[in-house]
Amino acid sequence: MGNVHAREPAPPPSTTGAGSEDATVSLSGIGAQVTKIHIDGVERTHEDLVLRKINPVFQVRHFEELVLKAHEARSDLQDLGCFSDVSIHIDTAEEGGPKDYEVTFKVTELRRVVGSINTMLGNQEGSLFTGLKCPNLQGRGEQFQVDYTYGSKKTNAFNVRYMKPFHDDNKTILSSSIFQQIAEFPPSGFKELNRGGLVDLSFISAPNINHNLQYEACWRELRPLTKSCAFAVREQVGHSLKSALRHILTVDRRDNPVFPIEGSLFRLTQEYAGLGGDVGFFKNEVWLEANAPIFGPDFVLQGTLNCGLMKALSDGKRITLADNFYLGGPLNVRGFDMRGVGNESDGNYLGSDMFWSSGLHLFAPLPFRPGRGGFGDLFRTHLFLTAGNLCQFNRNNHIGDGNRFLENALRNFRLSYGLGVAFRLGGIGRLELNYCIPVRCERGDKPAPGLQFGVGVNFL
Amino acid sequence: MSTAIAPGAVTEALQLEMGAKEPWPEDAEFYQPYELEQILLPDNANCLSVQAYLRMCDLNFNLRQRSNAEHMSPSGKVPFIRAGKFVIAEMDPIISFVEQKGITLTEHLDSSQKADMRAYMSLVSNVLGNAEAFVSWNDDTTLSEVTKKRYGSVYPWPLNSILSWQKRGQVMRRLKALNWSSKSMSDVLNEVENCCQALSERLDNQKYFFNNRPTELDAMVFGHLFSILTTPLPDNSMASIVRNYKNLLELCQNIDKEYFDRAHATPL
């Protein structure tokens, strides 16, 4: 397509003064108007998409605004998912008055095809990941992605995903994928082979308020992990089909997703399974997180609450082990083994249809601040207190019967505390090494006092 | 994070050895697919064989019907039993498990009779077992009118078709490995005829195959023949062949009456 040249039809009349006589020059005092914008490096990205993003640059009145608008346009262009790099060059116009400027955006488009190969060793298995990505497939930021994992234990997994952004005010993104996944759950004694498809519509209804509307159809096959798994697990193995609608509401007002200093996060996940298929339930899960700095920005107090409730549908559809809630492990109630809280049968943890868990953290920088302003900022120390309970949602005890419901939820709750070091992994993940002391546990639980290591995205 | 370490094969064998000394538990359970709407002819024959065997041994069990019995089974085949901590699938392992507890139906046999019995048992499972699988999964009319409907009856659409198709692939691969897939229906019926002929000659006019006392061979013959006779199929030529052997029919009726004490014996 070559370069995009755009010209403002009629220069607006100047309203600001010609300049200031102070020694410090106020940029907002310098009148400016943009007469020309060049865009270099556009090959397959559609013109209208780029034009929409750079249009505000034409509306500027003075130089400061010009710089700000140009930067906004730059980050907007980068968010399109079409360019790997965008740089700005602002110059005076060759022909025209002293207030006329030309802006050049130099963009580098993403490659047509990006491939990757990784290997991983773990879980008593070696795996090979291969991925293929076609960014900006049709020139409007569409993305097509294929991932394939080959495991040495014949655990092949794949995911094929197509994503299309609409670039409207609601930031609507439609994506659909088909997948095959394998997951093993040693604490629960089963493994799960999932094959299915997912359609996801993501949009915002107000700034920071994000919605995901999803439909998922998933054929699940549960198998016993070992010959000695609990009979209660064996009773639930076999094939099932889940066909579910899901709505995820996320209100994220935190300043950072991994180590926020202030702000809160609210996420409500509602899932209705039972549109066809033989699995039926209505599942609600809430995630709350609040952060506040105390004694300056270095010390942050964080409180979290995560709870879920699943109701069976009365039309003979079933709930399987794959749908249940589980509790315990380094990501939620620390000081317990993974899934090592409650509802145990012959050493396997079966999960339940109701749970709550809560955490209180005090984050601080590393003592004596080694590597300040650099590597050291990736670390935090924290003191924590976590509690939670996995309970049977008794169908006879309706939620309306508040006291008994609360009593059921609080009876025999688990509690642990400890301290540790957290490390930021990339922009989203976290790695934690903690010393944990479980305080309250029940028979059948698997408390894990001492050092515990965890890596993940969503930490309680 | 921790991973549960699976008990090794040695521990498992040891547990089996130790647990086997315990007496037969009162709450033993026998698992099979739903008899009325789900079970297929080959599975029904195996389930009935094991049931007859346990009843001949005078061992109590509770019959449990599960739609996922096949997947619950450690070997992937029905039937299986749960006795205390043990889960054991299929006829031969169940027989050896029972024998470890000192219960046997073959103490009155000498060694040549035992060898004979084994030979006939493998004849029955090879010929009748494969013929049942062949009729169920390779005969187009039976496949579409009976097998697919029954096998898929416990699954929602579209899993019912996918899983039937998958199962058919498994069965056909096994039949192919045994050189049965190239046979025609009349070849198969011929095999069944020969098998029945051999069984009928061995039985002659005794009450049971050996020494007028029941053995696992009787249980097995009963399981297969009774299933063939009572399962309604579009093509009932297998049942008509069996019906020609009066002494085999009598054997089935005897066992049905004696060990299954149904209110009224099923007319064969």
Side-chain angles (χ1 to χ4, degrees):
Chain A
M1 241 173 282
N3 298 351
V4 178
H5 296 278
R7 183 180 279 278
E8 182 79 334
S14 163
T15 48
T16 48
S20 131
E21 285 169 15
D22 288 346
T24 52
V25 180
S26 158
L27 288 178
S28 57
I30 302 173
Q33 64 180 26
V34 176
T35 54
K36 235 185 202 179
I37 295 180
H38 300 276
I39 298 179
D40 265 358
V42 174
E43 278 170 32
R44 54 184 211 278
T45 307
H46 282 262
E47 238 172 76
D48 57 324
L49 205 61
V50 179
L51 288 182
R52 211 182 305 160
K53 298 296 176 195
I54 59 167
N55 239 352
V57 181
F58 279 125
Q59 319 295 329
V60 299
R61 297 276 177 266
H62 50 77
F63 196 78
E64 186 183 358
E65 207 183 346
L66 170 59
V67 174
L68 290 176
K69 288 284 178 200
H71 265 283
E72 259 172 47
R74 173 172 181 258
S75 72
D76 279 353
L77 287 175
Q78 271 173 334
D79 288 347
L80 283 179
C82 304
F83 309 118
S84 61
D85 189 39
V86 180
S87 57
I88 318 169
H89 182 80
I90 300 175
D91 202 353
T92 49
E94 280 173 26
E95 54 220 51
K99 289 191 296 178
D100 292 350
Y101 289 91
E102 283 183 19
V103 182
T104 308
F105 289 95
K106 196 167 163 39
V107 299
T108 315
E109 286 195 335
L110 288 165
R111 289 159 188 258
R112 275 178 193 276
V113 182
V114 184
S116 64
I117 296 185
N118 296 300
T119 53
M120 190 187 85
L121 215 62
N123 231 347
Q124 296 156 20
E125 182 182 22
S127 314
L128 178 75
F129 297 98
T130 55
L132 197 71
K133 195 154 82 171
C134 305
N136 198 12
L137 192 65
Q138 288 143 306
R140 288 185 201 278
E142 299 87 354
Q143 196 178 87
F144 179 74
Q145 195 173 349
V146 182
D147 292 307
Y148 178 77
T149 310
Y150 176 83
S152 60
K153 284 204 289 195
K154 292 196 174 168
T155 53
N156 301 348
F158 69 83
N159 187 25
V160 181
R161 179 167 177 260
Y162 178 77
M163 189 265 283
K164 181 174 172 56
F166 288 94
H167 306 293
D168 57 353
D169 292 340
N170 291 324
K171 297 191 178 164
T172 311
I173 298 174
L174 182 69
S175 70
S176 55
S177 54
I178 52 172
F179 57 83
Q180 170 171 314
Q181 303 160 339
I182 287 141
E184 292 190 352
F185 302 104
S188 301
F190 69 88
K191 59 181 165 187
E192 195 181 330
L193 169 64
N194 291 339
R195 298 184 176 107
L198 176 79
V199 181
D200 175 297
L201 184 71
S202 152
F203 59 92
I204 57 166
S205 60
N208 291 332
I209 301 182
N210 189 71
H211 299 262
N212 287 81
L213 280 177
Q214 301 182 331
Y215 170 76
E216 185 186 36
C218 187
W219 163 23
R220 298 154 336 154
E221 186 185 354
L222 302 190
R223 289 184 205 163
L225 195 56
T226 62
K227 279 191 174 155
S228 54
C229 78
F231 199 79
V233 173
R234 208 173 268 288
E235 280 190 302
Q236 297 211 25
V237 299
H239 300 266
S240 62
L241 182 72
K242 181 176 92 169
S243 163
L245 272 180
R246 204 181 295 135
H247 175 230
I248 305 170
L249 170 71
T250 314
V251 184
D252 190 351
R253 299 185 193 278
R254 298 174 298 173
D255 51 357
N256 181 307
V258 186
F259 293 132
I261 293 171
E262 58 183 345
S264 61
L265 168 73
F266 170 78
R267 186 186 295 126
L268 172 68
T269 308
Q270 294 179 296
E271 184 174 4
Y272 175 86
L275 305 156
D278 58 349
V279 173
F281 57 79
F282 183 51
K283 196 174 180 176
N284 292 281
E285 199 177 337
V286 175
W287 181 286
L288 271 171
E289 181 189 315
N291 302 281
I294 48 170
F295 329 120
D298 281 347
F299 295 87
V300 177
L301 193 67
Q302 183 186 65
T304 49
L305 175 70
N306 181 204
C307 51
L309 183 67
M310 175 165 58
K311 217 169 141 45
L313 300 182
S314 49
D315 55 359
K317 296 195 170 171
R318 62 206 177 98
I319 296 176
T320 71
L321 286 176
D323 304 306
N324 277 349
F325 295 118
Y326 297 87
L327 196 63
L331 269 64
N332 49 75
V333 181
R334 292 162 181 79
F336 288 85
D337 263 0
M338 200 79 162
R339 295 189 165 194
V341 170
N343 198 10
E344 173 257 14
S345 166
D346 291 336
N348 289 142
Y349 290 85
L350 308 178
S352 187
D353 52 4
M354 180 174 140
F355 84 103
W356 66 267
S357 57
S358 179
L360 190 67
H361 296 258
L362 177 66
F363 284 99
L366 285 180
F368 312 118
R369 312 292 302 263
R372 187 172 190 161
F375 190 63
D377 285 355
L378 297 176
F379 290 90
R380 292 282 189 285
T381 53
H382 68 151
L383 291 169
F384 60 84
L385 183 71
T386 52
N389 201 1
L390 191 71
C391 14
Q392 223 77 37
F393 175 49
N394 195 339
R395 280 162 202 86
N396 304 323
N397 278 354
H398 289 293
I399 303 180
D401 189 356
N403 283 337
R404 287 180 63 189
F405 180 77
L406 210 64
E407 190 193 309
N408 180 28
L410 290 178
R411 195 190 304 130
N412 304 332
F413 72 91
R414 320 304 200 275
L415 185 71
S416 67
Y417 68 95
L419 80 170
V421 184
F423 174 71
R424 186 167 76 197
L425 266 185
I428 49 162
R430 193 155 112 189
L431 202 141
E432 272 188 14
L433 185 65
N434 297 322
Y435 190 86
C436 318
I437 301 161
V439 187
R440 290 179 57 132
C441 43
E442 291 296 314
R443 264 187 68 174
D445 286 355
K446 247 192 215 160
L451 281 180
Q452 194 174 37
F453 175 76
V455 54
V457 175
N458 293 318
F459 276 86
L460 183 75
Chain B
M1 280 188 284
S2 77
T3 41
I5 292 162
V10 179
T11 351
E12 247 168 61
L14 199 69
Q15 278 177 343
L16 194 67
E17 192 76 8
M18 280 157 44
K21 298 281 182 285
E22 293 165 13
W24 182 260
E26 276 306 300
D27 60 351
E29 288 169 332
F30 179 97
Y31 284 84
Q32 65 164 58
Y34 284 106
E35 206 168 305
L36 207 61
E37 57 273 70
Q38 187 191 11
I39 202 166
L40 300 177
L41 173 57
D43 292 341
N44 196 16
N46 292 328
C47 292
L48 218 49
S49 301
V50 177
Q51 270 193 44
Y53 171 76
L54 293 175
R55 283 169 194 267
M56 284 171 180
C57 294
D58 204 16
L59 296 171
N60 290 326
F61 59 86
N62 298 311
L63 183 66
R64 299 267 185 265
Q65 305 193 35
R66 292 282 187 278
S67 62
N68 59 344
E70 182 188 353
H71 303 100
M72 285 170 72
S73 162
S75 74
K77 287 183 180 153
V78 288
F80 70 94
I81 57 164
R82 179 191 187 196
K85 279 191 172 304
F86 300 96
V87 181
I88 302 134
E90 295 183 70
M91 185 133 189
D92 287 336
I94 291 174
I95 291 174
S96 30
F97 179 74
V98 169
E99 282 181 348
Q100 278 174 334
K101 299 196 181 301
I103 303 163
T104 171
L105 294 176
T106 54
E107 57 194 355
H108 56 92
L109 301 187
D110 60 37
S111 55
S112 80
Q113 282 178 315
K114 271 186 187 166
D116 250 18
M117 182 192 79
R118 298 248 160 73
Y120 278 104
M121 281 176 76
S122 82
L123 176 78
V124 172
S125 80
N126 283 337
V127 176
L128 297 184
N130 288 344
E132 288 152 5
F134 186 93
V135 172
S136 304
W137 294 100
N138 198 35
D139 178 60
D140 289 336
T141 338
T142 315
L143 182 67
S144 61
E145 282 180 24
V146 180
T147 310
K148 276 189 172 175
K149 275 185 193 159
R150 288 179 70 88
Y151 191 80
S153 66
V154 294
Y155 299 111
W157 179 90
L159 279 194
N160 51 5
S161 325
I162 299 173
L163 292 173
S164 309
W165 173 76
Q166 222 179 34
K167 178 72 180 178
R168 179 170 191 262
Q170 277 172 23
V171 174
M172 294 313 288
R173 270 198 300 281
R174 201 177 63 91
L175 289 179
K176 193 170 183 192
L178 299 168
N179 279 329
W180 272 67
S181 60
S182 53
K183 287 187 196 231
S184 69
M185 193 64 198
S186 60
D187 292 339
V188 170
L189 292 176
N190 252 337
E191 296 253 6
V192 173
E193 176 99 54
N194 291 340
C195 175
C196 289
Q197 182 78 39
L199 288 172
S200 172
E201 276 167 19
R202 180 71 189 79
L203 182 64
D204 205 13
N205 48 17
Q206 307 170 82
K207 194 175 176 199
Y208 295 110
F209 279 96
F210 297 98
N211 313 342
N212 275 325
R213 287 165 72 178
T215 59
E216 44 260 42
L217 174 62
D218 298 280
M220 198 168 188
V221 170
F222 166 77
H224 283 273
L225 297 188
F226 195 85
S227 304
I228 291 174
L229 289 166
T230 54
T231 307
L233 292 177
D235 177 2
N236 59 359
S237 30
M238 240 184 356
S240 343
I241 290 172
V242 176
R243 256 179 251 282
N244 292 334
Y245 297 90
K246 293 288 172 261
N247 56 349
L248 295 179
L249 284 182
E250 263 167 44
L251 175 83
C252 290
Q253 272 159 342
N254 274 340
I255 295 177
D256 189 33
K257 215 183 299 165
E258 199 148 326
Y259 296 103
F260 286 80
D261 54 39
R262 308 187 192 223
H264 46 89
T266 319
L268 296 176

mmCIF file of all heavy atoms in Angstrom, chain A residues 433-448:
data_model
loop_
_atom_site.group_PDB
_atom_site.id
_atom_site.type_symbol
_atom_site.label_atom_id
_atom_site.label_comp_id
_atom_site.label_asym_id
_atom_site.label_seq_id
_atom_site.Cartn_x
_atom_site.Cartn_y
_atom_site.Cartn_z
ATOM 1 N N LEU A 433 8.149 -18.148 47.392
ATOM 2 C CA LEU A 433 8.758 -19.127 48.275
ATOM 3 C C LEU A 433 8.417 -18.697 49.691
ATOM 4 O O LEU A 433 8.811 -17.624 50.129
ATOM 5 C CB LEU A 433 10.278 -19.172 48.065
ATOM 6 C CG LEU A 433 10.993 -20.252 48.871
ATOM 7 C CD1 LEU A 433 10.560 -21.637 48.420
ATOM 8 C CD2 LEU A 433 12.498 -20.120 48.722
ATOM 9 N N ASN A 434 7.642 -19.546 50.365
ATOM 10 C CA ASN A 434 7.114 -19.154 51.667
ATOM 11 C C ASN A 434 7.455 -20.165 52.744
ATOM 12 O O ASN A 434 7.603 -21.356 52.463
ATOM 13 C CB ASN A 434 5.583 -19.059 51.615
ATOM 14 C CG ASN A 434 5.112 -17.987 50.661
ATOM 15 O OD1 ASN A 434 5.720 -16.925 50.574
ATOM 16 N ND2 ASN A 434 4.071 -18.272 49.929
ATOM 17 N N TYR A 435 7.537 -19.686 53.951
ATOM 18 C CA TYR A 435 7.572 -20.579 55.100
ATOM 19 C C TYR A 435 6.193 -20.516 55.729
ATOM 20 O O TYR A 435 5.745 -19.446 56.142
ATOM 21 C CB TYR A 435 8.659 -20.156 56.099
ATOM 22 C CG TYR A 435 8.858 -21.203 57.163
ATOM 23 C CD1 TYR A 435 9.724 -22.263 56.945
ATOM 24 C CD2 TYR A 435 8.128 -21.162 58.342
ATOM 25 C CE1 TYR A 435 9.870 -23.260 57.895
ATOM 26 C CE2 TYR A 435 8.270 -22.147 59.301
ATOM 27 C CZ TYR A 435 9.141 -23.204 59.065
ATOM 28 O OH TYR A 435 9.278 -24.190 59.997
ATOM 29 N N CYS A 436 5.505 -21.633 55.757
ATOM 30 C CA CYS A 436 4.095 -21.614 56.169
ATOM 31 C C CYS A 436 3.881 -22.404 57.445
ATOM 32 O O CYS A 436 4.525 -23.426 57.672
ATOM 33 C CB CYS A 436 3.210 -22.242 55.104
ATOM 34 S SG CYS A 436 3.621 -21.778 53.451
ATOM 35 N N ILE A 437 2.964 -21.932 58.231
ATOM 36 C CA ILE A 437 2.582 -22.632 59.447
ATOM 37 C C ILE A 437 1.065 -22.798 59.447
ATOM 38 O O ILE A 437 0.329 -21.835 59.640
ATOM 39 C CB ILE A 437 3.037 -21.847 60.696
ATOM 40 C CG1 ILE A 437 4.559 -21.675 60.647
ATOM 41 C CG2 ILE A 437 2.632 -22.578 61.966
ATOM 42 C CD1 ILE A 437 5.063 -20.578 61.515
ATOM 43 N N PRO A 438 0.582 -24.006 59.184
ATOM 44 C CA PRO A 438 -0.858 -24.219 59.259
ATOM 45 C C PRO A 438 -1.298 -24.231 60.717
ATOM 46 O O PRO A 438 -0.630 -24.858 61.549
ATOM 47 C CB PRO A 438 -1.072 -25.598 58.615
ATOM 48 C CG PRO A 438 0.256 -26.165 58.339
ATOM 49 C CD PRO A 438 1.312 -25.202 58.777
ATOM 50 N N VAL A 439 -2.361 -23.530 61.014
ATOM 51 C CA VAL A 439 -2.805 -23.422 62.408
ATOM 52 C C VAL A 439 -4.010 -24.305 62.658
ATOM 53 O O VAL A 439 -4.084 -25.025 63.640
ATOM 54 C CB VAL A 439 -3.173 -21.970 62.750
ATOM 55 C CG1 VAL A 439 -3.465 -21.837 64.232
ATOM 56 C CG2 VAL A 439 -2.066 -21.030 62.352
ATOM 57 N N ARG A 440 -4.960 -24.231 61.751
ATOM 58 C CA ARG A 440 -6.166 -25.034 61.933
ATOM 59 C C ARG A 440 -6.313 -25.980 60.755
ATOM 60 O O ARG A 440 -6.351 -25.555 59.612
ATOM 61 C CB ARG A 440 -7.400 -24.120 61.975
ATOM 62 C CG ARG A 440 -7.498 -23.273 63.219
ATOM 63 C CD ARG A 440 -8.736 -22.406 63.110
ATOM 64 N NE ARG A 440 -9.920 -23.242 62.925
ATOM 65 C CZ ARG A 440 -11.039 -23.101 63.619
ATOM 66 N NH1 ARG A 440 -11.144 -22.175 64.514
ATOM 67 N NH2 ARG A 440 -12.073 -23.874 63.394
ATOM 68 N N CYS A 441 -6.364 -27.265 61.033
ATOM 69 C CA CYS A 441 -6.675 -28.203 59.959
ATOM 70 C C CYS A 441 -7.578 -29.298 60.498
ATOM 71 O O CYS A 441 -7.756 -29.432 61.705
ATOM 72 C CB CYS A 441 -5.420 -28.764 59.307
ATOM 73 S SG CYS A 441 -4.130 -29.224 60.439
ATOM 74 N N GLU A 442 -8.149 -30.048 59.594
ATOM 75 C CA GLU A 442 -9.116 -31.068 59.973
ATOM 76 C C GLU A 442 -8.583 -32.436 59.601
ATOM 77 O O GLU A 442 -7.625 -32.557 58.847
ATOM 78 C CB GLU A 442 -10.445 -30.820 59.231
ATOM 79 C CG GLU A 442 -11.170 -29.585 59.679
ATOM 80 C CD GLU A 442 -11.616 -29.663 61.129
ATOM 81 O OE1 GLU A 442 -12.167 -30.713 61.520
ATOM 82 O OE2 GLU A 442 -11.403 -28.688 61.870
ATOM 83 N N ARG A 443 -9.234 -33.463 60.098
ATOM 84 C CA ARG A 443 -8.849 -34.829 59.707
ATOM 85 C C ARG A 443 -9.036 -34.994 58.210
ATOM 86 O O ARG A 443 -10.010 -34.543 57.634
ATOM 87 C CB ARG A 443 -9.737 -35.833 60.433
ATOM 88 C CG ARG A 443 -9.085 -36.352 61.698
ATOM 89 C CD ARG A 443 -9.903 -37.453 62.273
ATOM 90 N NE ARG A 443 -9.865 -38.645 61.410
ATOM 91 C CZ ARG A 443 -10.416 -39.802 61.758
ATOM 92 N NH1 ARG A 443 -11.031 -39.913 62.890
ATOM 93 N NH2 ARG A 443 -10.342 -40.834 60.943
ATOM 94 N N GLY A 444 -8.066 -35.653 57.571
ATOM 95 C CA GLY A 444 -8.170 -35.858 56.136
ATOM 96 C C GLY A 444 -7.448 -34.777 55.345
ATOM 97 O O GLY A 444 -7.180 -34.942 54.172
ATOM 98 N N ASP A 445 -7.153 -33.656 55.992
ATOM 99 C CA ASP A 445 -6.396 -32.602 55.308
ATOM 100 C C ASP A 445 -4.942 -33.030 55.141
ATOM 101 O O ASP A 445 -4.465 -33.915 55.829
ATOM 102 C CB ASP A 445 -6.407 -31.313 56.143
ATOM 103 C CG ASP A 445 -7.744 -30.618 56.090
ATOM 104 O OD1 ASP A 445 -8.613 -31.096 55.329
ATOM 105 O OD2 ASP A 445 -7.923 -29.618 56.804
ATOM 106 N N LYS A 446 -4.271 -32.360 54.216
ATOM 107 C CA LYS A 446 -2.842 -32.603 54.059
ATOM 108 C C LYS A 446 -2.092 -31.305 54.333
ATOM 109 O O LYS A 446 -1.770 -30.565 53.406
ATOM 110 C CB LYS A 446 -2.549 -33.070 52.635
ATOM 111 C CG LYS A 446 -2.077 -34.510 52.569
ATOM 112 C CD LYS A 446 -1.532 -34.825 51.203
ATOM 113 C CE LYS A 446 -1.829 -36.246 50.793
ATOM 114 N NZ LYS A 446 -1.733 -36.424 49.359
ATOM 115 N N PRO A 447 -1.864 -30.979 55.614
ATOM 116 C CA PRO A 447 -1.110 -29.755 55.900
ATOM 117 C C PRO A 447 0.342 -29.933 55.473
ATOM 118 O O PRO A 447 0.871 -31.044 55.505
ATOM 119 C CB PRO A 447 -1.226 -29.612 57.414
ATOM 120 C CG PRO A 447 -1.565 -30.961 57.919
ATOM 121 C CD PRO A 447 -2.246 -31.715 56.820
ATOM 122 N N ALA A 448 0.956 -28.850 55.020
ATOM 123 C CA ALA A 448 2.354 -28.899 54.575
ATOM 124 C C ALA A 448 3.125 -27.802 55.266
ATOM 125 O O ALA A 448 3.410 -26.760 54.673
ATOM 126 C CB ALA A 448 2.427 -28.746 53.059
#
